[in-house]
Amino acid sequence: MATNYEKEEDDEAFRKATKKYEEIVSTLPHGRHWMTDQLDLHQYKGYWLASGTLKGVIFIHDLFTTQSTDIFLATSPKTGTTWFRALIFTTMNRSRYEFSSHPLLNTGPHDCFPLLDSYISQNESISNLKTSPSPRLFSTHLPYDLFPKSITDSSCRFVYVCRNAKDVLVSKWFFMNKLRSKDLPRLSLEEAFELFCEGISHDGPFWDHVLGYWRTSLESPEKILFLKYEEMKREPVVHLKRLAEFLGQPFSAQEESEGVVREIIKLCSFKNLSNLEVNQNSAQNFSNQLIVDNRFFFRKGEVGDWKNHLTSEMIKCLDQITEEKLHGSGLTFHV
């Protein structure tokens, strides 16, 4: 527990960081927010960030102290974050909890480990994080380029999950419409498509976000494990074993023979998680302005649902942008 002196230091540090944020945000270009229609996205160092995310970036740079054992689940929004939160939490804690009484049965995946920038900007305290048991698990939507060198130069590890851009667009469009005020008209797919293609999307442009982690994973594979949502869906056993090995918790032969890998996959499956009481009737408090029903994080969890929503012109355009953006990188999306 923090002493009074440590709390005073914390409070003063947060006041300075908040002032810095206010000075920076007033100078930035603004873009349309998918949820409010206001110009509430801010272009910062090439990326479009919501106010709370930008504030979190400043706080992480100025206040957060990484530990060598920290593990970050990094994703662009709507690429499987909820699923991978559950998978990583369960894998890392498999010797601690029984499947029959697992925390995920009555706790939403978002509560298993925090969205770092949101947690810091909302709580305006890092005292709890300092004393969290190791390894600390953090989720983040931040582009890799926006992390401070204290994190990128450390030995902490990132698990990055990417997904086909067309499914990301459709998933985000549905999600944002669920969060929009009933006083606002529904955001049309055409409007969402234009914004997404222009890069005016949370933590976007999407392709720049993906490439930042992809290139670093090639340079430092011991630091970033780059996973594709579609491959995890197709071969969950294979890729969960890769994930566990990267996290320093490989499955033993005995665990495999006892079916532990498949039990984790079953517990964390879309069907199981989406039907739990906690994910049907509870909510996630990201800030005073943003409270999201847990059920909104579970729509279909399928690969290729974009075929049911996008026009042929939209598909052609997104495929062309993806090909141009990823050209020469070695990264491809096969659906």
Side-chain angles (χ1 to χ4, degrees), residues 29-44 46-50 76-77 168-169 172-173 176 187-209 318 321 325:
H30 302 294
R32 181 183 175 188
H33 199 294
W34 291 38
M35 191 172 71
T36 66
D37 284 346
Q38 301 298 313
L39 298 179
D40 289 342
L41 289 182
H42 313 286
Q43 191 177 44
Y44 179 70
Y47 293 96
W48 291 95
L49 308 178
S76 182
V168 173
L169 167 60
K172 182 173 181 182
W173 172 58
M176 285 297 167
L187 179 71
S188 71
L189 180 56
E190 290 74 19
E191 290 172 305
F193 170 78
E194 291 295 334
L195 289 169
F196 190 81
C197 290
E198 291 171 13
I200 305 175
S201 177
H202 295 74
D203 306 283
F206 166 79
W207 299 271
D208 295 350
H209 196 290
L318 282 168
I321 294 173
K325 292 285 188 179

Side-chain angles (χ1 to χ4, degrees), residues 96-109:
R96 187 176 173 190
Y97 302 117
E98 297 290 334
F99 288 111
S100 60
S101 57
H102 201 276
L104 278 177
L105 297 176
N106 49 43
T107 304

